[in-house]
Amino acid sequence: MTDHKTLMKEALKAREYSYAPYSKYHVGAALLTASGKIYRGCNVENAAYSPANCAERTAVFKAVSEGEKDFKAIAIVGGLEGSGTEGAFPCGVCRQVLFEVVDENTFEVIVGKNEEEYSVYRLSELLPFGFRL
Ligand code: THU
């Protein structure tokens, strides 16, 4: 079973590819599937600003577009260029995107600085009453 520390390490690796020349805020995410596979994602910004994609959504869209359907947890790490890392809570849009594809009562959101310092939340704590059709 992949542990929280491993997922945090993967999120730190994902952050290395973050493309954030505008905000300079670099984010990495690591999404764990039920079969133990990890999909990494980073934020990808754009000169037109609004097309930017968050790290969490990059990871979710990569996984779903490869046929993955069962997710256990996501680890997220952020931080301004040149500063240390910090816990980056998923934005509201990313919470709703996760809500669509996971069981919010069991899915874990791991937010922290590194593999030693992090906290674990359930998605249901971060997005109560998410929208479902
Ligand atoms: N960002 C993420 O990647 N994930 C979040 O949950 C919050 C924000 C990115 C978007 C943008 O590229 C940068 O962080 C600053 O907002």
Side-chain angles (χ1 to χ4, degrees):
M1 172 55 193
T2 307
D3 58 19
H4 297 142
K5 280 184 195 298
T6 303
L7 270 189
M8 282 301 299
K9 270 191 225 167
E10 288 289 318
L12 283 162
K13 282 188 210 156
R15 186 172 172 267
E16 291 173 17
Y17 293 121
S18 158
Y19 178 73
Y22 305 103
S23 74
K24 314 235 184 271
Y25 194 83
H26 297 272
V27 186
L31 177 67
L32 177 67
T33 72
S35 65
K37 201 164 168 189
I38 294 171
Y39 287 84
R40 292 182 192 165
C42 64
N43 54 332
V44 182
E45 297 186 347
N46 188 277
Y49 285 36
S50 65
N53 207 49
C54 288
E56 300 90 321
R57 270 178 285 153
T58 302
V60 169
F61 294 154
K62 278 173 70 179
V64 171
S65 63
E66 296 289 331
E68 298 288 352
K69 287 183 164 48
D70 198 353
F71 303 105
K72 293 292 175 205
I74 192 167
I76 308 155
V77 61
L80 263 183
E81 208 168 285
S83 309
T85 53
E86 62 183 15
F89 280 91
C91 76
V93 172
C94 289
R95 292 177 201 203
Q96 177 64 31
V97 166
L98 285 165
F99 189 83
E100 180 73 28
V101 295
V102 307
D103 174 348
E104 71 275 17
N105 296 309
T106 56
F107 186 80
E108 292 179 328
V109 180
I110 306 151
V111 175
K113 251 184 174 175
N114 53 47
E115 62 266 39
E116 306 301 334
E117 294 168 80
Y118 57 81
S119 302
V120 185
Y121 304 85
R122 299 283 165 179
L123 183 62
S124 54
E125 291 177 75
L126 302 183
L127 185 69
F129 308 108
F131 181 71
R132 241 197 276 281
L133 284 175

